[in-house]
Amino acid sequence: MSTTNDDEDEDTSGRPTKAVVGSHRDEEEVFGKVYDPRIVRRIWSFVAPYRARIFLSVAAVLVFTLTQLAIPLVIRYAIDHGMAPGRIDRSIMAWTTAIFAAIILVNYGASYVQESVVGKVAENVLSDLRRAMFSHLQRVSLSFMDKTEVGRLMSRLQGDVNSMQEFLETSVMSVGDIVLLFGIVTVLLWLDFRLGLLTLSTMPALFVVRLFWLPRAKVAFMAAHETNSIANGALAEGIHGVRTVQSLERQHVNFDLYDEKVLANLRAHLRSARYAQVMVPIVDTLTGIAMATVIVVGGSMVLSHRLDVGVMVAFLFYIQRFFDPIRSLTMQYSVMQRAMASGQRISEVLDVPIEVNDREGAVALSSDTDGSVEFRNVTFGYRQNLPVLKNVSFRVNPGETVALVGPTGSGKSSSMALVHRFYDVWSGQVLVGGHDVRDLTQDSLGEQVAMVLQEPFLFSGTVLENIRYHKTGASREEVVRAAQAVGAHDFIMELPDGYGTELEQRGGNLSLGQRQLISFARALVADAKILVLDEATASIDSYTEMLIQKALIKLLEGRTGLVIAHRLATIRGADRIIVLQNGEIVESGNHAQLMQRKGLYARLYNMNYSSFDDIAADEIEKDAAVGKAT
Amino acid sequence: MHKDAKGNAPERGGSFAHVAEASWGKGVSTLIRIMRMTLRHPWQVTITIVSTFIAATLQLFIPRLLGRAIDQAQGVMAAGGGAVAEQALWTTALTLLVVSILRGLFTMAQNYYGEAVGHHTGYELRLAFYEKIQRLSFSFHDKVHTGDLITLGLLDLDGVRMFFATGVLRVVLLSVLIGVGAYLLISTDLVLGLLSLSFVPFVAWRSSVTQLRLRSTWLTLQERLSVLSRVMDENLGGIRVVRAFAAQRHELAKFDRAKRSALELANERVDIRVANTSAMNFSFLAAMGLVLWFGGQKVIAGEISVGTLAQFLTFMTILQMPVRQLGLMVNSFARASTCGTRLFELLDTELDIEDAPDAKDLVVNDGVLRFDDVGFRYDGAGGRPALSGISFEAKPGETIGIVGPPGSGKSTIAHLIPRFYDATSGAITIDGQDISKVTLRSLRKAVGIVQQDAFLFTTSIENNIAYGNPWARETRIERAAEYAQLHNYIIGLPTGYTTIVGERGASLSGGQRQRLTIARSLMLRPSVLIFDDSTAAVDAGTEQRIRAAMKRFARDRVTLIISHRLSSLMHADQILFIESGRIVERGTHEELLALGGRYHALHDLQLRPEDERAAAQGAA
């Protein structure tokens, strides 16, 4: 085949220069300050309701730790006063055994209470925190939601909340660890001050070693974690994009790139394993040194009768548990840091101000409102000094359908959002049924203003549940009637379980047109006085398109309609057309009137585009210039 | 184990559910297969197992040394004076130190190499899994949920990877500790030996039962948590709908329901776990109390020394941890056998579309595409045929238009050409070479398909366009973008061609995404270029400009346009009207209009608005 390409084929033997697999999101700050009083107070407000239970579990931890500490002492007593050569006393043996039995019963109870209470409180706090955040997000301004990726919020709601749970559990445990640590030190010094001091001298060594080890090990652990999520991201991409990969024959390139990432992950894991394991011989050596000390020094003291043999046994017991609290305390240090960073992020979410709120004394919009919509000198924008709507005024009379038309960024969607009071205006007023929307309760406004969005968003659940999303009390008959009215009934009946068919995530098992029709039925069931509709831009096959146009007429029957129109058919069918450009109304009137004016609308219309949104900005500028010239 | 596997089956849907029905035999053969994979690293496995033996044995010496030291301190063994006794203490202490250090070193080796074996096995499995996924055909991916594949590649793979360290090694460790330990203890003193081991069976049984219960509730909990995250995810993603319908209260109620069911189970799991740990702790301490009591009697009776008693007691503390972990070991076996069975099932899936044994590279001279009585049905014999009797021929420079109602089989025709699916009857040839007899790689390089749902990768625009030819030079990438009418838009972006797009990148409109996929397909310079309804979101004007720009490009290749928009394919040299998988009308635009059939009807339907417009203009 002769190619018309003038450039030569590239050398494909080397490493591809324009290829990556998987993307990597910058990890969020994992470790924060160890202690931040503001965050601790904030989190404490969630723990406070469980205060009594927390105290109970701390008490249980203390009791548990004390019984742990007591066991070697009982053994020591039994040996020295009951069985050691020359001091045999059967009654003491019986007594100490009885005490031992009592202690382990208490130990059993305390261990049960401590873990059970703490575990459940942590689960409950986690759940409360998550709910508080979730319910707060239901009320924060949409400008925040627009700016924030859903994925980020989800990681707050899941990852961060989980690390708070971990923190709660470990912080109660660390109380136990601290008590155990000090308890062992105290008991050893009390049993024999000099031997105790000598034995304990190995302890600082571990502290010093951990101090050097921890920052380096943490880097290695983080690297393992991060390379892991990179490799997993690449795998997920490979699975999601497999059809594209195959159709473009990228398997070989991708395999090599994936191999690199997995290999990097393997290396990072091995490195972090080395860091984790290097502590093992160090701790064992220190334990060995401590035990050897007790044997040599303690042993010779026993030999010369300066020390009871039971004390020596107790020492050996304590040494075996000696390093556990140090190890877990240093680990908890990282948990603390992680929790502070998470707490910081959780507070950030909880602190997002709620900008749109029901005013005190707000009234409910009654259901017999006339359904008029009016904009009075509305100026509004998302960023300071960048108004999206500039001094816009118009009125939609009850029952009238008005089409908003204009290029992307002209302020159509913003107008629509203001009717529903997603945002508050900078100046001017938006009136619904003659009331300023700020004087109405949001719930009642929502009941009278139904919205249909460009991307018909469906929830997982059955078709039935989706159609009566707004009115959960709607009967099946109502739902079927609505579906029939918009022409969705037939295809719904063809689904495997009819109205009971479970929709996949976001209605993935339906076509765009079908989803659109279901969202129409949903709006119809809501039966609001005012319908605000953003038409879908993507073209749908002609059959569905026809259904949608018919459904639209049905939907607008007897309602006030504000439609962001993209399709010529819809635009022509409107009672009135408002043409927006750069946040200002440039023309208004019906189709015939506007065509006659030969203004921007007529020119856009004659450009023969199926949708006004597709027109490139430069063409509009050009056109506007021409318009001014004529 | 078997019961557990069965219990989990409903949690996981998809086509892999049946695997959970696996029998004991299957589970065992899976574990054997995992062991065989592990043995591909013979040196590391040997080092690990030997280290485990040595470390466990050394650990068993420690109680003996401690016991001996206690006796030496009491002068029990010292026949001579204090100096001799003290020297004996020194010897014991130094031996103990050496044993401790060695034990530490061997434990380190055991843990490190144990993990390393797992990571190496994991590495190999990940590559094998990735490769398999990339090669399995469309029909496989149609059937299996992406979520299931991801779980398989992450969680199930982990279950297999960890088997060596958490399962096999623990068996070795526990056998040495319990086996050798029991021998040492019992040979020292039968009654005390039995007493100090008395907690072992109870703890082993308790922890195994608990772990299996935790495992099965864990799967349920994951299920409930995923319901909860779906509620949150959908709510946040659809926040505008939620607000639009003022449905916050409804959503919170939904959240609370999901939350409550997850919380209840989480609390229940706390109970299961806690009941177990405190019971294990208690049984251990109770056994210790028995040893203390009976041992004390024996010491008093002079049967054993205080050192021997201390030896028993310290031995128990050493044994406590590993025995408690026995449950984890049982869990590891259960997990590895179910996860492994699922994973191997996927790895063993036969490729239904691959190179024929003697496949040659496709040689394109002219690039004539021919369909010869092609039929197709999804999933072999079942169901009604999706396509039948499809025949046509397209010469270089020609454009074929394919139109028809939704679900008529238009896209299926497109999918047969690059062999995303294999035709069930008839033959498709390019320059006389049957596409099922040439290599897939050469075929797919020759066939470019622009798909309807454009998947963009999260990387720069440049990398996305060059996806099929990542070695491409900038000039060529730009030319492709120009053809697709996207270049001007791209250079208008602040970061131009390096702008990140895709899931987490800048948002492109539907039309822009489609144009980007067009540019991407042009990069391969295919000799057959297929547009599978790929301009639906591109407006008519832009589409016209794309067509004009591509005129030169299309001159010596075959172009196939599948669309429901007649204006996209009116100009085609031949138009096929498909209905229920058959060609019902064929010809040029004019011929088909003259025919007055279905094509004509569709034409009327689509162009009516234009007439109205003309009327409106006339009126004005």
Side-chain angles (χ1 to χ4, degrees):
Chain A
M1 193 185 85
S2 70
T3 75
T4 53
N5 258 296
D6 37 350
D7 51 3
E8 290 160 37
D9 274 335
E10 288 84 4
D11 174 21
T12 58
S13 56
R15 199 192 145 84
T17 47
K18 304 214 164 34
V20 290
V21 294
S23 63
H24 187 54
R25 187 204 297 261
D26 287 337
E27 288 284 331
E28 300 188 297
E29 200 58 45
V30 179
F31 297 107
K33 275 194 281 184
V34 181
Y35 181 76
D36 184 335
R38 226 165 28 84
I39 295 168
V40 171
R41 263 201 303 279
R42 182 97 213 204
I43 301 303
W44 175 251
S45 68
F46 285 92
V47 184
Y50 303 97
R51 209 180 295 133
R53 288 208 252 165
I54 291 280
F55 290 142
L56 173 67
S57 73
V58 170
V61 168
L62 292 180
V63 173
F64 176 77
T65 312
L66 291 178
T67 53
Q68 297 283 80
L69 274 171
I71 288 168
L73 285 178
V74 174
I75 295 173
R76 182 249 148 173
Y77 197 80
I79 290 174
D80 286 341
H81 300 279
M83 61 180 96
R87 293 198 200 156
I88 293 167
D89 185 334
R90 282 179 192 273
S91 70
I92 284 186
M93 270 306 292
W95 268 112
T96 47
T97 311
I99 290 170
F100 190 94
I103 285 176
I104 66 173
L105 275 174
V106 173
N107 177 285
Y108 175 66
S111 126
Y112 190 90
V113 171
Q114 105 176 272
E115 284 196 49
S116 156
V117 170
V118 144
K120 286 184 188 171
V121 166
E123 290 288 355
N124 280 295
V125 168
L126 152 125
S127 188
D128 293 350
L129 252 178
R130 189 176 280 154
R131 189 182 193 281
M133 287 164 80
F134 183 75
S135 94
H136 188 72
L137 287 174
Q138 301 305 305
R139 308 205 303 141
V140 302
S141 80
L142 274 181
S143 9
F144 171 78
M145 299 301 286
D146 294 342
K147 285 190 302 242
T148 316
E149 270 177 75
V150 172
R152 288 249 148 156
L153 289 177
M154 287 301 285
S155 89
R156 303 274 189 284
L157 283 162
Q158 297 184 306
D160 286 333
V161 170
N162 286 341
S163 79
M164 291 309 298
Q165 180 195 17
E166 186 189 15
F167 165 69
L168 275 178
E169 282 185 359
T170 55
S171 54
V172 174
M173 300 299 159
S174 15
V175 173
D177 280 325
I178 291 170
V179 173
L180 186 62
L181 188 61
F182 281 100
I184 291 177
V185 171
T186 317
V187 171
L188 288 188
L189 293 177
W190 172 70
L191 281 173
D192 189 286
F193 189 77
R194 276 180 44 215
L195 184 60
L197 215 55
L198 208 53
T199 317
L200 289 172
S201 61
T202 48
M203 222 184 241
L206 184 63
F207 264 119
V208 172
V209 170
R210 298 280 299 192
L211 225 55
F212 276 97
W213 171 84
L214 199 61
R216 289 169 182 78
K218 208 152 78 181
V219 172
F221 296 160
M222 289 291 301
H225 175 78
E226 201 168 326
T227 50
N228 198 40
S229 69
I230 291 175
N232 291 346
L235 174 67
E237 183 193 87
I239 292 173
H240 287 300
V242 66
R243 289 178 172 79
T244 309
V245 169
Q246 290 191 2
S247 63
L248 292 167
E249 270 298 307
R250 256 283 284 256
Q251 294 94 315
H252 299 272
V253 173
N254 284 3
F255 184 78
D256 291 343
L257 294 172
Y258 182 70
D259 190 359
E260 274 173 26
K261 300 209 160 173
V262 185
L263 193 62
N265 184 225
L266 171 66
R267 295 216 174 97
H269 269 308
L270 294 180
R271 194 176 141 79
S272 92
R274 275 197 289 275
Y275 266 105
Q277 295 308 326
V278 76
M279 280 312 286
V280 174
I282 293 175
V283 170
D284 276 358
T285 304
L286 289 174
T287 314
I289 291 173
M291 289 209 261
T293 312
V294 171
I295 291 173
V296 171
V297 180
S300 52
M301 284 164 81
V302 174
L303 267 180
S304 53
H305 301 290
R306 280 174 294 147
L307 190 76
D308 291 335
V309 68
V311 175
M312 183 177 165
V313 173
F315 260 82
L316 292 174
F317 267 99
Y318 285 123
I319 288 170
Q320 289 184 2
R321 304 241 17 218
F322 209 47
F323 296 101
D324 292 351
I326 299 179
R327 227 182 321 189
S328 62
L329 279 173
T330 42
M331 274 300 161
Q332 276 148 24
Y333 182 82
S334 309
V335 173
M336 282 273 265
Q337 283 181 309
R338 205 160 41 216
M340 285 300 151
S342 293
Q344 168 77 40
R345 285 191 290 266
I346 290 174
S347 310
E348 272 168 24
V349 171
L350 290 172
D351 289 343
V352 175
I354 297 176
E355 283 160 12
V356 178
N357 237 331
D358 279 358
R359 162 179 301 187
E360 230 176 284
V363 294
L365 180 63
S366 81
S367 55
D368 49 354
T369 173
D370 64 2
S372 65
V373 173
E374 190 177 353
F375 275 54
R376 278 189 201 154
N377 309 100
V378 169
T379 299
F380 167 72
Y382 303 95
R383 267 178 292 167
Q384 255 187 340
N385 303 324
L386 272 176
V388 179
L389 289 175
K390 299 164 198 157
N391 200 27
V392 168
S393 299
F394 64 84
R395 183 179 155 85
V396 188
N397 295 317
E400 199 183 22
T401 298
V402 166
L404 286 179
V405 169
T408 312
S410 57
K412 293 168 299 184
S413 305
S414 304
S415 314
M416 176 166 151
L418 289 180
V419 175
H420 214 290
R421 207 181 160 211
F422 281 174
Y423 312 93
D424 273 339
V425 295
W426 287 358
S427 66
Q429 272 186 308
V430 177
L431 298 112
V432 170
H435 301 274
D436 190 315
V437 288
R438 285 169 293 191
D439 296 332
L440 297 169
T441 60
Q442 292 177 75
D443 278 357
S444 69
L445 188 63
E447 261 164 46
Q448 293 312 320
V449 183
M451 267 182 142
V452 175
L453 302 167
Q454 201 176 79
E455 248 315 293
F457 191 98
L458 301 182
F459 295 87
S460 48
T462 64
V463 174
L464 187 77
E465 283 162 4
N466 265 287
I467 295 181
R468 62 177 184 204
Y469 179 74
H470 181 55
K471 258 171 79 175
T472 31
S475 69
R476 195 188 161 86
E477 286 66 45
E478 273 179 80
V479 169
V480 172
R481 245 196 329 271
Q484 278 167 339
V486 299
H489 180 71
D490 290 343
F491 82 80
I492 293 173
M493 290 313 285
E494 274 177 30
L495 295 174
D497 295 311
Y499 284 86
T501 308
E502 286 283 337
L503 295 184
E504 278 166 26
Q505 205 167 5
R506 308 208 170 159
N509 43 352
L510 300 176
S511 75
L512 177 65
Q514 292 172 329
R515 275 181 281 158
Q516 191 85 51
L517 288 177
I518 288 187
S519 79
F520 280 9
R522 179 166 69 185
L524 199 61
V525 167
D527 195 27
K529 276 271 157 44
I530 301 162
L531 182 76
V532 182
L533 185 139
D534 194 349
E535 215 174 19
T537 37
S539 92
I540 297 167
D541 68 89
S542 330
Y543 304 93
T544 318
E545 163 97 52
M546 237 178 28
L547 278 178
I548 286 181
Q549 286 300 335
K550 268 197 229 155
L552 196 56
I553 293 165
K554 184 81 201 166
L555 200 56
L556 286 165
E557 237 171 47
R559 283 176 232 281
T560 308
L562 190 61
V563 183
I564 297 182
H566 305 279
R567 295 169 194 287
L568 298 179
T570 316
I571 296 173
R572 275 195 312 267
D575 296 318
R576 200 142 50 88
I577 300 161
I578 292 176
V579 185
L580 281 170
Q581 190 183 5
N582 294 329
E584 286 167 298
I585 297 182
V586 289
E587 287 171 335
S588 95
N590 67 24
H591 177 71
Q593 290 166 340
L594 290 179
M595 289 309 290
Q596 207 163 16
R597 272 196 55 169
K598 298 202 190 311
L600 178 65
Y601 178 82
R603 247 185 302 280
L604 292 178
Y605 191 82
N606 284 329
M607 275 172 147
N608 196 17
Y609 286 96
S610 63
S611 154
F612 280 8
D613 302 295
D614 293 319
I615 304 168
D618 53 334
E619 274 189 61
I620 291 166
E621 291 307 318
K622 195 168 66 197
D623 197 81
V626 174
K628 272 180 201 128
T630 46
Chain B
M1 199 150 74
H2 180 72
K3 193 165 153 251
D4 177 58
K6 252 192 164 158
N8 297 336
E11 323 295 345
R12 273 283 210 84
S15 71
F16 288 93
H18 66 279
V19 181
E21 300 287 328
S23 60
W24 262 99
K26 190 143 195 179
V28 171
S29 71
T30 300
L31 294 181
I32 291 173
R33 183 156 165 195
I34 299 174
M35 278 317 291
R36 277 214 311 272
M37 290 203 65
T38 307
L39 287 174
R40 273 189 235 158
H41 308 279
W43 280 113
Q44 292 180 334
V45 169
T46 313
I47 293 174
T48 316
I49 290 180
V50 170
S51 304
T52 309
F53 262 108
I54 298 176
T57 315
L58 287 172
Q59 196 171 8
L60 288 173
F61 267 99
I62 291 174
R64 298 211 119 185
L65 288 168
L66 291 178
R68 187 191 297 164
I70 287 163
D71 287 343
Q72 286 168 339
Q74 289 174 291
V76 177
M77 291 181 184
V84 181
E86 239 174 85
Q87 206 175 0
L89 279 176
W90 269 102
T91 316
T92 313
L94 286 177
T95 317
L96 184 79
L97 184 57
V98 173
V99 167
S100 294
I101 293 173
L102 287 178
R103 185 194 96 93
L105 290 172
F106 281 105
T107 309
M108 175 176 76
Q110 163 207 326
N111 291 349
Y112 175 74
Y113 284 105
E115 252 190 80
V117 168
H119 284 304
H120 278 108
T121 312
Y123 168 73
E124 286 155 14
L125 278 171
R126 280 165 113 174
L127 287 186
F129 181 76
Y130 188 81
E131 208 205 348
K132 195 73 186 191
I133 291 291
Q134 298 282 289
R135 292 182 56 192
L136 282 164
S137 74
F138 278 34
S139 24
F140 173 86
H141 288 287
D142 292 343
K143 278 181 299 203
V144 182
H145 260 280
T146 51
D148 283 345
L149 286 182
I150 289 173
T151 320
L152 203 58
L154 302 186
L155 296 182
D156 288 343
L157 202 141
D158 259 351
V160 173
R161 172 175 73 77
M162 315 255 282
F163 177 60
F164 181 67
T166 58
V168 180
L169 274 192
R170 283 217 175 96
V171 174
V172 176
L173 182 69
L174 278 170
S175 333
V176 175
L177 281 183
I178 298 180
V180 179
Y183 170 76
L184 288 177
L185 288 185
I186 290 172
S187 64
T188 310
D189 186 297
L190 179 68
V191 178
L192 278 192
L194 288 177
L195 281 179
S196 28
L197 291 171
S198 63
F199 76 101
V200 173
F202 175 74
V203 170
W205 169 74
R206 246 337 267 254
S207 89
S208 307
V209 170
T210 308
Q211 282 303 329
L212 290 179
R213 257 185 89 191
L214 283 177
R215 180 175 150 74
S216 74
T217 50
W218 186 80
L219 292 170
T220 318
L221 183 64
Q222 288 314 105
E223 190 69 16
R224 295 194 185 172
L225 285 175
S226 79
V227 171
L228 184 63
S229 29
R230 199 170 59 218
V231 169
M232 296 193 289
D233 189 48
E234 284 190 351
N235 172 283
L236 298 175
I239 194 81
R240 278 171 183 275
V241 182
V242 175
R243 302 274 172 104
F245 286 101
Q248 284 99 321
R249 231 172 300 147
H250 171 62
E251 286 289 302
L252 278 176
K254 221 157 76 175
F255 175 87
D256 283 340
R257 264 199 309 280
K259 180 195 92 163
R260 204 172 316 120
S261 89
L263 184 61
E264 270 165 18
L265 189 61
N267 280 334
E268 203 178 298
R269 281 170 51 81
V270 171
D271 281 334
I272 299 175
R273 204 180 60 214
V274 172
N276 178 51
T277 39
S278 40
M280 289 197 305
N281 225 354
F282 182 74
S283 70
F284 164 73
L285 290 175
M288 206 174 206
L290 288 176
V291 171
L292 185 65
W293 172 249
F294 286 102
Q297 302 304 320
K298 284 184 180 259
V299 173
I300 292 171
E303 288 171 35
I304 57 169
S305 67
V306 173
T308 309
L309 177 61
Q311 181 193 337
F312 277 101
L313 293 174
T314 43
F315 179 78
M316 286 179 74
T317 51
I318 283 175
L319 206 55
Q320 189 197 5
M321 244 323 152
V323 172
R324 291 174 73 148
Q325 288 173 349
L326 207 121
L328 297 178
M329 179 187 94
V330 173
N331 184 30
S332 165
F333 271 77
R335 185 167 172 215
S337 81
T338 44
C339 293
T341 308
R342 275 197 291 257
L343 188 65
F344 293 140
E345 165 95 354
L346 179 110
L347 293 178
D348 295 343
T349 307
E350 278 188 34
L351 296 176
D352 50 352
I353 293 188
E354 58 181 335
D355 288 349
D358 50 351
K360 291 188 190 64
D361 278 352
L362 175 71
V363 184
V364 181
N365 294 315
D366 301 320
V368 181
L369 171 71
R370 239 181 96 87
F371 269 59
D372 212 350
D373 197 23
V374 171
F376 177 75
R377 44 178 98 215
Y378 282 100
D379 247 344
R384 74 190 164 92
L387 286 179
S388 51
I390 304 288
S391 300
F392 64 87
E393 189 183 85
K395 294 195 183 66
E398 278 185 353
T399 300
I400 306 281
I402 300 179
V403 70
S408 56
K410 300 182 300 253
S411 291
T412 312
I413 297 182
H415 286 161
L416 294 182
I417 304 172
R419 281 188 76 197
F420 291 156
Y421 302 90
D422 270 340
T424 25
S425 64
I428 302 168
T429 57
I430 293 175
D431 278 350
Q433 301 153 81
D434 191 322
I435 58 163
S436 62
K437 302 213 167 63
V438 300
T439 58
L440 270 180
R441 202 176 150 83
S442 64
L443 174 69
R444 289 184 181 165
K445 289 239 179 234
V447 178
I449 178 162
V450 188
Q451 274 159 313
Q452 191 176 0
D453 282 322
F455 184 89
L456 296 188
F457 296 88
T458 307
T459 173
S460 63
I461 291 182
E462 180 178 59
N463 285 359
N464 263 295
I465 296 179
Y467 201 78
N469 179 3
W471 293 270
R473 271 192 273 274
E474 275 79 8
T475 47
R476 223 170 112 183
I477 295 170
E478 286 175 20
R479 182 128 20 85
E482 278 165 18
Y483 280 138
Q485 304 299 309
L486 200 59
H487 179 69
N488 286 337
Y489 171 75
I490 299 170
I491 53 171
L493 294 170
T495 41
Y497 276 88
T498 54
T499 308
I500 306 288
V501 292
E503 258 178 281
R504 295 185 207 141
S507 51
L508 297 180
S509 76
Q512 286 160 343
R513 291 173 80 93
Q514 288 196 332
R515 282 183 273 160
L516 206 153
T517 24
I518 293 175
R520 181 163 77 184
S521 299
L522 297 181
M523 289 299 290
L524 285 179
R525 287 186 235 157
S527 47
V528 176
L529 185 57
I530 306 163
F531 292 91
D532 182 8
D533 213 354
S534 47
T535 50
V538 178
D539 66 275
T542 309
E543 192 189 359
Q544 220 154 29
R545 276 182 284 160
I546 294 176
R547 209 166 36 237
M550 284 188 41
K551 262 224 171 89
R552 203 163 67 104
F553 189 83
R555 204 167 51 203
D556 43 18
R557 42 202 101 208
V558 169
T559 310
L560 226 69
I561 299 177
I562 294 163
S563 180
H564 53 71
R565 189 150 75 192
L566 289 191
S567 63
S568 308
L569 44 73
M570 276 179 342
H571 65 285
D573 299 291
Q574 192 179 180
I575 298 169
L576 311 177
F577 195 104
I578 310 284
E579 206 176 81
S580 310
R582 292 175 176 280
I583 301 178
V584 288
E585 289 173 18
R586 72 163 82 205
T588 62
H589 178 64
E590 288 72 26
E591 288 165 5
L592 288 177
L593 279 188
L595 197 67
R598 292 182 171 85
Y599 184 85
H600 187 115
L602 184 63
H603 182 255
D604 276 0
L605 185 68
Q606 288 193 8
L607 294 198
R608 205 181 316 133
E610 301 300 314
D611 298 341
E612 275 176 23
R613 194 175 115 204
Q617 264 175 327

